[in-house]
Amino acid sequence: IMPKYKKMTIRIVKWLDEKGEASTHEIYAFANKGSGHGIVMTALTNLLAKNKNFEKVGVDKLKNAGDFGGREVCMWKVRDSKVGQNDRL
């Protein structure tokens, strides 16, 4: 875990574990809501892509994203593991 975002990672893992799966934009909105210190999108995408706790499950297309073809966003979930939640982090 990137030390700078350890608490943020724990919050996201707990939230995503309850929710099931979410898009990068939904995770971004959650991470920056109610937090004194948020996370920028580039740092979040790096965190999701490089952290062993998260698994990319697909790509979804956003409608009305201002682009003619829409915009694709990645969908994420907590990686299935037999290790306990505290051991994962």
Side-chain angles (χ1 to χ4, degrees), residues 63-81:
K63 296 176 184 166
N64 301 328
D67 303 288
F68 287 103
R71 176 170 288 181
E72 292 183 344
V73 293
C74 295
M75 298 298 292
W76 301 91
K77 72 173 192 167
V78 174
R79 185 178 302 274
D80 294 331
S81 174

Side-chain angles (χ1 to χ4, degrees), residues 12-69:
I12 294 170
V13 166
K14 288 179 182 177
W15 177 76
L16 204 51
D17 217 13
E18 292 173 9
K19 186 168 174 63
E21 63 180 56
S23 71
T24 306
H25 288 278
E26 290 173 316
I27 297 168
Y28 178 76
F30 166 77
N32 288 305
K33 178 183 75 175
S35 173
H37 305 284
I39 187 169
V40 295
M41 184 61 86
T42 53
L44 177 63
T45 54
N46 279 335
L47 179 79
L48 294 169
K50 295 179 180 181
N51 191 299
K52 295 176 187 175
N53 292 309
F54 304 107
E55 180 178 355
K56 184 177 173 181
V57 292
V59 177
D60 199 12
K61 198 158 195 140
L62 284 179
K63 296 176 184 166
N64 301 328
D67 303 288
F68 287 103

